[in-house]
Amino acid sequence: MRILISGAGIAGPTLAWWLLHYGFTPTLVESAPALKTGGYVIDFWGAGFDVADRMGLLPEIRRRGYIVEEVRAVDDSGQRAAAVSAKGFVRMTGGRFVSLPRGELAAILFSSIEHRVETLFGDRIARIDPTSDDVQVRFEHASPRTFDLVIGADGLHSGVRRLVFGEDSRFEKYLGYKAAAFTVSGYQPREELVYLLYTQVGSQVARFSMRDDRTMFLFTFADPDPSLPAAIADQKSLLRDRFRNARWEVPRILAALDDCTELYFDRVSQIRMDGRPGLWTENRVSLLGDAASCVSLLAGQGSALAMVAAYLLAGELSQASGDYGLAFARYQERFAPFVRKKQQAALRFAGMFAPRSKLALYLRNRGMSLMNISWIADFAMRRDLVDKIDLPHYPARAFR
Ligand SMILES: Cc1cc2nc3c(=O)[nH]c(=O)nc-3n(C[C@H](O)[C@H](O)[C@H](O)COP(=O)(O)OP(=O)(O)OC[C@H]3O[C@@H](n4cnc5c(N)ncnc54)[C@H](O)[C@@H]3O)c2cc1C
């Protein structure tokens, strides 16, 4: 069975890995000219961590990751306003928790399939025509091809979703925030293994020092206007304008922004296709990861969830011996209720990134400090940190 996967981010390569494992023939198409590296730092734990374990990738993920020791909020002059030790996370996850740049996770996943899966970089699907026997696909650059299935794993602004399911506006729920991230070399000062937060009403700047003298910055800010500037120069201007009165190290960070050539800048949104008959599936086409059910950065778990979804989809395709209708239905039955709860939980964390008032900011900082008391941390985190989803052990028989 020939399966075209659009998007070589997190979900796409994970799906390709498991499809190969079961004897399918995946092909990846990625719009970027080369694999995207670096970017913002993600936390990685839960059921997605278990999937990475089953793929044998944990040693490499741990080697390239960081065990953050403290999340510290600072005030205008850089003094500690609140701090929470990461011990609670480590305890709750049994040490199965690591932080790493999203691009590093993507690179680890991609190198696990790199020489085994055909990948078309710098291209995208232009047209999808399913027939009763197969799917005819036209690309922007490559010649037309025929596949048995097409999976859209192409992120929040999925091209497959737009082509087959409809305009973004039907499914994207803008949460009222924007996020921007970039990495620079040689920034001072540094704090090793401390995730620093400078939060004001309606905005936050985070700084994290990484290996090789690199530092990652993440800006989040409330903005009722969902439109995004397209050019990087305009994105930088918007950030400079929005944070012009911020104190702490923000003027220095904005100066560092001048030289950056790679800036992540996007809306904080969720993808909700709940009410749609067929949910993420239409005929021989289905969606995966952020394309299907983006939980947003507020969940702090989108990559892990994308890997879980990929694992389930591949496993169900193998179990159903090619009955894709049955497999898509089972994949959705297993994953949709779980991810819906994650989306709801994410909304409760909005106040962490951009509190709406001085009182909310004060309470956020008090809450952080209270999380150092182990019974409070365990009580507060159990509901959201423990993934209640069954990851079946699908037999590794080759698909016939
Ligand atoms: C600031 C921030 C912080 C986050 N923090 C965390 C965290 O702490 N923990 C966590 O687990 N998750 C976190 N996430 C979420 C996580 O990054 C995403 O959920 C995850 O990357 C989703 O994986 P994906 O493969 O579905 O999509 P993506 O990783 O977005 O990959 C999609 C791929 O498709 C490609 N593409 C796009 N359009 C097309 C097209 N038309 N044709 C072909 N290819 C295309 C893109 O170039 C990309 O390579 C965070 C997200 C943000 C923005």
Side-chain angles (χ1 to χ4, degrees):
M1 217 179 193
R2 301 148 304 167
I3 303 180
L4 177 65
I5 305 166
S6 176
I10 306 296
T14 309
L15 179 67
W17 193 99
W18 286 103
L19 289 177
L20 277 180
H21 181 72
Y22 297 124
F24 296 92
T25 307
T27 298
L28 281 164
V29 55
E30 163 61 50
S31 56
L35 203 65
K36 290 180 183 166
T37 54
Y40 48 86
V41 170
I42 61 166
D43 296 325
F44 188 63
W45 86 98
F49 196 98
D50 298 339
V51 171
D53 199 3
R54 291 184 192 183
M55 296 167 78
L57 298 179
L58 278 194
E60 188 59 9
I61 289 175
R62 285 195 194 276
R63 195 179 70 75
R64 287 161 76 164
Y66 302 83
I67 308 294
V68 174
E69 290 170 358
E70 185 180 89
V71 179
R72 185 189 304 160
V74 294
D75 63 15
D76 286 349
S77 52
Q79 296 301 308
R80 174 188 303 247
V84 57
S85 146
K87 281 186 190 142
F89 288 100
V90 174
R91 192 175 53 247
M92 289 297 291
T93 55
R96 293 170 73 77
F97 185 102
V98 66
S99 303
L100 77 169
R102 175 208 159 279
E104 298 266 325
L105 178 62
I108 294 169
L109 290 166
F110 187 72
S111 49
S112 73
I113 51 155
E114 189 167 10
H115 303 295
R116 301 188 292 148
V117 174
E118 180 194 15
T119 306
L120 312 172
F121 277 108
D123 207 347
R124 61 179 85 216
I125 300 174
R127 211 185 141 117
I128 298 176
D129 292 307
T131 72
S132 52
D133 299 324
D134 52 33
V135 196
Q136 314 285 329
V137 176
R138 285 180 185 277
F139 296 95
E140 277 185 3
H141 302 295
S143 308
R145 301 257 294 262
T146 302
F147 296 89
D148 294 295
L149 302 175
V150 174
I151 308 296
D154 40 7
L156 176 62
H157 308 289
S158 165
V160 171
R161 195 181 59 231
R162 205 171 314 119
L163 284 174
V164 177
F165 299 82
E167 282 307 311
D168 288 4
S169 55
R170 286 179 58 192
F171 309 115
E172 182 179 341
K173 182 177 171 7
Y174 176 54
L175 301 182
Y177 302 95
K178 287 181 182 148
F182 67 103
T183 303
V184 299
S185 291
Y187 183 87
Q188 291 291 340
R190 291 173 61 85
E191 270 87 6
E192 308 302 324
L193 304 180
V194 177
Y195 197 92
L196 283 166
L197 305 174
Y198 171 68
T199 316
Q200 297 175 287
V201 173
S203 69
Q204 178 168 276
V205 181
R207 157 158 82 73
F208 184 63
S209 306
M210 301 189 293
R211 292 184 195 98
D212 304 322
D213 205 17
R214 287 177 310 139
T215 302
M216 186 273 325
F217 302 101
L218 172 63
F219 292 72
T220 38
F221 57 100
D223 188 348
D225 175 10
S227 66
L228 287 173
I232 186 169
D234 297 334
Q235 296 171 350
K236 288 182 179 180
S237 301
L238 199 153
L239 286 176
R240 276 190 215 104
D241 187 46
R242 181 59 209 247
F243 287 86
R244 68 177 181 278
N245 294 324
R247 298 185 52 196
W248 183 52
E249 298 168 14
V250 177
R252 206 179 322 156
I253 297 170
L254 288 175
L257 176 67
D258 287 346
D259 298 330
C260 116
T261 51
E262 251 185 61
L263 175 67
Y264 167 88
F265 193 105
D266 209 345
R267 288 187 285 270
V268 178
S269 295
Q270 292 188 334
I271 295 298
R272 304 267 192 88
M273 300 180 72
D274 291 355
R276 189 187 168 273
L279 194 59
W280 311 318
T281 298
E282 183 68 38
N283 203 324
R284 289 173 174 267
V285 181
S286 195
L287 300 173
L288 182 67
D290 275 7
S293 56
C294 178
V295 286
S296 86
L297 70 91
L298 304 180
Q301 220 188 345
S303 298
L305 297 175
M307 291 180 68
V308 172
Y311 174 82
L312 293 173
L313 176 55
E316 292 301 340
L317 279 167
S318 163
Q319 280 294 97
S321 300
D323 182 344
Y324 62 86
L326 181 65
F328 287 163
R330 284 192 180 150
Y331 147 64
Q332 295 186 165
E333 263 163 39
R334 284 190 186 278
F335 192 65
F338 173 69
V339 79
R340 206 169 289 135
K341 284 202 184 105
K342 291 285 177 187
Q343 289 189 319
Q344 285 157 3
L347 302 180
R348 293 200 294 272
F349 286 100
M352 286 289 290
F353 291 85
R356 289 192 188 279
S357 64
K358 281 195 168 160
L359 177 64
L361 173 56
Y362 170 79
L363 292 174
R364 197 275 319 250
N365 286 349
R366 291 293 301 151
M368 276 177 75
S369 304
L370 286 173
M371 295 294 264
N372 291 307
I373 302 169
S374 48
W375 71 265
I376 295 181
D378 290 359
F379 177 77
M381 287 192 288
R382 183 164 292 123
R383 184 174 56 167
D384 295 321
L385 265 192
V386 178
D387 282 346
K388 296 178 194 75
I389 187 162
D390 177 31
L391 288 182
H393 279 277
Y394 299 103
R397 67 192 156 81
F399 168 70
R400 284 184 293 274

